Amino acid sequence: MESDPVTKQRLVDTFAIPDHVRPKDVQDHKNGLGVVWSTDGHESSYGWDWLEAQRSEPHFTYDLEYFDTSISEHPPLVTFEKIMSSDSGVKDWVDRIRTWGFCFVDGCPVTSDDTQALIERIAFIRTTHYGGFWRFTSDLASKDSAYTQLALAAHTDTTYFTDPAGLQTFHLLSHINGEGGASLLVDGFRAAEILRHESPGDFDALCQIKIRGHSSGNEGIAIMPERAFPVITTDEAKTGKPARIIQIRWNNDDRASMAGLSLEEINRFYRAARKWVEILRRPESEYWVQLRPGRTLTNMDDFVSRWKTLNFSTEEIMNNI
């Protein structure tokens, strides 16, 4: 037996097998291939489905949909009741998040406890220097521009982490006697594909030049990733196919100095970043939405495959989760 039938972990000590081992006999069976090895007569069985799967590199199979400002007509949406009452509701929720990069949930009771229970239907809540599950308003309780009344440009969060935050959920608990506070969603993958089409050299620059983020506003806290990362991360290009975009890391406010880069790289980066920001700020790229009590927004700000840029700005004091 090469692997544990329950854990699926390897049981064989690979390096106890002589390096001169060769197949002694190969049998074609109904359910797979049988191999008898030359050294000790050990017989291995390989199912046809497993062998077929090994013919190419493993990859996730899912369909992504890019969005622009027209998504406002039919945004992805699931109800709180459906999610809390069934696993199929959770599946619908995460399917929409995976496909579009974000999803609203309607009907969430306007309480911290219910919002936390909703989030935990997907997974545990990750704790950072901000906490795990927390409420905030524009009071600078944490020294971050998200805790102010300043407008925030489209960005991804926690670029100063080596492993940035994944799914993020926002719930506006109150919005009283004021204006503003709209959220901005921009499809980072769509923007990257536009950049690749309109300015391939700038696309390559943001894939190749690695930069760092930093979080330094709070006393006693200074965070930077253990290495620099590009704005656009892709997998390896396949023959005849363009490289697949798997991650966007972009936050100009949190971008650290460009120490260690050559003058040529710095100039190339700024030229590419200027084009990138121009695409992000096109009216057709921006989906503005005013959150309201009872409707949560969950967006992908990480996860291998899809990053979304999120702006949560305010011009009045609001309580948010």
Side-chain angles (χ1 to χ4, degrees):
M1 183 180 294
E2 283 79 21
S3 63
D4 188 289
V6 177
T7 69
K8 310 303 181 185
Q9 292 172 296
R10 184 176 291 108
L11 296 176
V12 174
D13 180 358
T14 303
F15 306 102
I17 301 173
D19 60 5
H20 60 274
V21 66
R22 295 291 184 274
K24 180 179 180 181
D25 186 40
V26 178
Q27 296 291 327
D28 184 346
H29 301 303
K30 179 180 179 181
N31 296 324
L33 199 67
V35 178
V36 177
W37 299 101
S38 59
T39 51
D40 59 359
H42 177 81
E43 183 173 354
S44 299
S45 298
Y46 305 95
W48 295 123
D49 290 343
W50 184 87
L51 288 169
E52 178 66 26
Q54 308 314 305
R55 295 180 61 184
S56 59
E57 183 180 355
H59 64 281
F60 295 103
T61 56
Y62 50 83
D63 295 324
L64 301 181
E65 296 286 347
Y66 296 161
F67 73 84
D68 57 21
T69 190
S70 65
I71 193 70
S72 61
E73 300 175 8
H74 300 287
L77 177 69
V78 184
T79 66
F80 177 85
E81 180 182 4
K82 185 175 183 180
I83 293 170
M84 301 306 291
S85 63
S86 67
D87 288 343
S88 64
V90 177
K91 180 180 184 300
D92 288 346
W93 187 20
V94 296
D95 278 350
R96 284 166 172 78
I97 296 169
R98 168 64 76 189
T99 300
W100 294 100
F102 74 98
C103 184
F104 296 108
V105 175
D106 267 356
C108 181
V110 188
T111 70
S112 298
D113 288 345
D114 286 297
T115 306
Q116 182 171 350
L118 172 67
I119 295 169
E120 290 174 342
R121 286 290 285 156
I122 293 181
F124 60 89
I125 297 174
R126 174 178 171 178
T127 299
T128 70
H129 59 301
Y130 296 109
F133 179 89
W134 76 96
R135 294 173 59 153
F136 70 95
T137 187
S138 53
D139 59 1
L140 267 181
S142 286
K143 306 306 184 284
D144 189 283
S145 52
Y147 288 75
T148 72
Q149 296 183 22
L150 298 173
L152 305 178
H155 65 278
T156 57
D157 282 327
T158 57
T159 55
Y160 40 77
F161 288 163
T162 302
D163 178 23
L167 297 179
Q168 296 190 119
T169 294
F170 293 87
H171 190 186
L172 180 63
L173 295 182
S174 66
H175 189 220
I176 303 169
N177 299 325
E179 296 180 353
S183 293
L184 169 64
L185 289 167
V186 178
D187 190 332
F189 276 29
R190 175 182 175 274
E193 290 294 0
I194 292 173
L195 181 66
R196 172 154 45 189
H197 174 73
E198 294 185 1
S199 188
D202 290 334
F203 177 86
D204 290 343
L206 295 188
C207 290
Q208 296 166 0
I209 301 172
K210 298 177 181 180
I211 60 174
R212 296 178 187 269
H214 76 108
S215 177
S216 307
N218 294 285
E219 184 176 355
I221 296 176
I223 302 173
M224 294 185 73
E226 57 90 18
R227 63 183 177 88
F229 293 88
V231 173
I232 303 171
T233 299
T234 65
D235 62 7
E236 296 182 3
K238 306 300 180 184
T239 303
K241 296 182 179 180
R244 183 171 61 99
I245 299 167
I246 58 176
Q247 188 183 67
I248 305 293
R249 300 173 70 112
W250 174 253
N251 191 329
N252 193 53
D253 294 353
D254 289 346
R255 181 167 52 82
S257 68
M258 307 187 78
L261 295 179
S262 68
L263 181 59
E264 179 183 359
E265 288 175 314
I266 292 172
N267 288 334
R268 188 179 174 215
F269 173 83
Y270 277 118
R271 183 171 58 250
R274 188 177 299 277
K275 176 64 176 178
W276 168 249
V277 170
E278 185 272 321
I279 294 171
L280 294 178
R281 294 179 179 175
R282 291 176 184 177
E284 62 270 25
S285 296
E286 298 182 334
Y287 169 36
W288 288 94
V289 58
Q290 178 63 63
L291 295 181
R292 61 177 185 267
R295 168 175 281 194
T296 70
L297 166 64
T298 300
N299 73 288
M300 287 187 107
D301 220 44
D302 185 5
F303 271 24
V304 173
S305 76
R306 194 107 192 221
W307 270 38
K308 294 298 174 186
T309 52
L310 170 70
N311 170 12
F312 195 84
S313 61
T314 175
E315 296 176 5
E316 65 159 341
I317 294 180
M318 302 183 297
N319 286 321
N320 309 284
I321 291 178

